Amino acid sequence: MRRLLVFAASAACLFAQLPAPNESGVSMGHIHLMVADPEAQKKLWVDLLGAEVTHAGSLEMLKLPGIFIIAGKARTPPTEGTEGSTVNHVGFLVKSYAEMKAKVTAAGLTIASDNANGKQIIVNFPDKIRVEMTEDATLKVPAAMHHIHLSSVDQEKLRAWYVKTFGMKPGTRGSFLAAMVPGGEVDFRKAQQPEAPTKGRSLDHIGFEVRNLAEFCKKLEADGVTFDMAYREMPQLDGLKIAFIIDPEGTRIELTEGLAGR
């Protein structure tokens, strides 16, 4: 719990930007949703969690401490969400469990799990996107990024890949294995069978911000990492640099350079 509070206190100061990267040049970046109704999705993130709208060129993003949320229009409305995929849910710290629960109920959303003792709820957003919200009364903002929760048949092996690939620090959160990165952490839960890849689902991919992305991608290529899309620069997105890779169990990951400081 003490580590959660320390993280939240620092995250509250980072509303306008992503945190400084780790020694490997990596920090938390974004979560990219591809949904049937982006405007309805955006409204929930703004109204419930206090996200602020910003842009990278033509790309609209929602800004929260430690993370950006991007909600795009899916060409074909996705039939499946986070549950059953390698990304089971994403987790945020919120200032008040009671107030957030009331707001969620008023918004007409269903609560998949309610832990009153732990002051934590898991909420079903539209398009079957699960969002965990845990109270931290010390927050100076309505909400702050905390974790991305992956499902894996081999938690140790997958965590080791994130630690090696992104320079994350191994740790734990309760009974879960975790990998710590500036802006949050990646947690790992036991899956009884391989889960579905994220590509094409309503949570299509997760993202990390990387300093000197071109050189970072060369290192990944040398290490045999699978690329879904090679490094490129995006002038229409205000010079954003991007690449896509796939983790060993099918999570699509976008690497960006240029989100920090927005």
Side-chain angles (χ1 to χ4, degrees):
M1 177 59 71
R2 182 176 182 275
R3 181 176 60 78
L4 280 177
L5 296 179
V6 170
F7 166 76
S10 60
C13 300
L14 296 169
F15 201 94
Q17 61 182 13
L18 298 176
N22 62 17
E23 292 180 358
S24 297
V26 179
S27 68
M28 196 67 80
H30 73 280
I31 297 164
H32 204 129
L33 312 177
M34 296 299 294
V35 296
D37 188 345
E39 293 307 315
Q41 188 76 227
K42 293 172 191 175
K43 187 176 188 305
L44 287 172
W45 289 93
V46 171
D47 291 350
L48 296 180
L49 294 152
E52 292 185 358
V53 177
T54 188
H55 293 83
S58 60
L59 179 65
E60 183 178 84
M61 305 182 294
L62 303 174
K63 181 173 58 178
L64 286 161
I67 197 79
F68 290 97
I69 308 295
I70 300 170
K73 175 73 173 178
R75 293 181 180 178
T76 302
T79 58
E80 297 299 337
T82 54
E83 190 174 19
S85 80
T86 54
V87 179
N88 182 270
H89 64 272
V90 293
F92 291 81
L93 301 177
V94 298
K95 187 171 181 62
S96 170
Y97 156 83
E99 289 182 12
M100 187 58 68
K101 183 177 175 179
K103 289 170 69 174
V104 163
T105 302
L109 301 179
T110 59
I111 297 176
S113 174
D114 187 351
N115 179 356
N117 290 333
K119 296 187 176 182
Q120 178 188 93
I121 54 176
I122 297 179
V123 181
N124 291 322
F125 274 46
D127 299 282
K128 300 181 181 179
I129 296 162
R130 288 199 163 183
V131 181
E132 179 183 306
M133 304 176 186
T134 304
E135 180 178 303
D136 181 350
T138 68
L139 280 181
K140 304 301 182 185
V141 291
M145 179 59 186
H146 186 254
H147 68 273
I148 297 170
H149 212 137
L150 305 184
S151 292
S152 170
V153 294
D154 190 336
Q155 301 147 286
E156 288 275 9
K157 184 176 180 181
L158 189 60
R159 181 177 69 167
W161 184 86
Y162 277 82
V163 168
K164 177 184 177 182
T165 303
F166 301 113
M168 297 183 184
K169 302 297 183 184
T172 58
R173 181 173 68 91
S175 61
F176 297 115
L177 298 179
M180 314 303 178
V181 65
E185 61 189 64
V186 181
D187 295 342
F188 304 86
R189 58 190 291 152
K190 178 67 175 177
Q192 299 305 312
Q193 59 190 17
E195 303 280 27
T198 59
K199 189 174 182 177
R201 296 173 82 99
S202 56
L203 195 159
D204 183 86
H205 59 271
I206 61 176
F208 298 107
E209 175 79 348
V210 180
R211 181 179 57 206
N212 197 351
L213 181 57
E215 290 301 316
F216 190 84
C217 287
K218 290 178 183 178
K219 180 180 181 300
L220 294 184
E221 290 172 355
D223 289 341
V225 172
T226 301
F227 275 76
D228 191 49
M229 189 183 80
Y231 169 86
R232 63 189 62 185
E233 298 183 8
M234 309 292 288
Q236 72 273 30
L237 301 183
D238 200 19
L240 193 67
K241 301 169 185 177
I242 67 171
F244 282 87
I245 63 174
I246 306 291
D247 85 4
E249 296 201 16
T251 304
R252 192 173 188 228
I253 303 170
E254 183 176 4
L255 308 177
T256 61
E257 182 181 359
L259 291 184
R262 293 184 185 274

